[in-house]
Amino acid sequence: MIDLSRKNFEEYYNDWGGFGCQYCLHHRMGDSYNIPDIAKAWRHWQASRECLVIELPEKSLITDPSDMFNIGSNGVINKCRDAINAAGVKYK
């Protein structure tokens, strides 16, 4: 999750600053950066993702295995949860 968020951050920062596509990558230092402005921007980026939470509906209980609507609904919810998680966003 953090890797995708970091990749998105670096793409955004590089585009925003007009830097080369590998600029942030070359200045990585552990989980931060050796340039204070990039390190600060990265901390703010992470904080903005931490406070964003999307609440999804609970899975419906499947009482009848022949009920394809509920089975399909649960599959869609699971896919939504996976996609949101992969994007680096929390869900309840």
Side-chain angles (χ1 to χ4, degrees):
M1 176 170 66
I2 191 97
D3 292 337
L4 179 59
S5 182
R6 191 168 191 172
K7 178 182 178 288
N8 291 339
F9 164 75
E10 289 177 351
E11 287 175 1
Y12 172 81
Y13 194 90
N14 291 337
D15 289 345
W16 171 80
F19 305 113
C21 63
Q22 298 292 313
Y23 183 74
C24 288
L25 181 63
H26 291 304
H27 294 286
R28 280 187 182 183
M29 184 177 65
D31 188 37
S32 191
Y33 298 88
N34 60 11
I35 296 178
D37 287 343
I38 301 174
K40 182 178 180 181
W42 173 233
R43 285 192 306 273
H44 287 283
W45 180 277
Q46 290 174 300
S48 73
R49 268 61 184 164
E50 282 292 316
C51 68
L52 178 62
V53 178
I54 298 172
E55 190 168 340
L56 297 175
E58 288 297 316
K59 291 181 182 179
S60 61
L61 295 176
I62 301 172
T63 56
D64 180 358
S66 66
D67 187 352
M68 295 306 288
F69 177 76
N70 282 333
I71 293 170
S73 295
N74 284 329
V76 170
I77 290 171
N78 287 336
K79 288 183 183 219
C80 289
R81 289 175 192 249
D82 292 345
I84 290 169
N85 188 41
V89 178
K90 294 180 182 179
Y91 64 86
K92 287 185 179 181

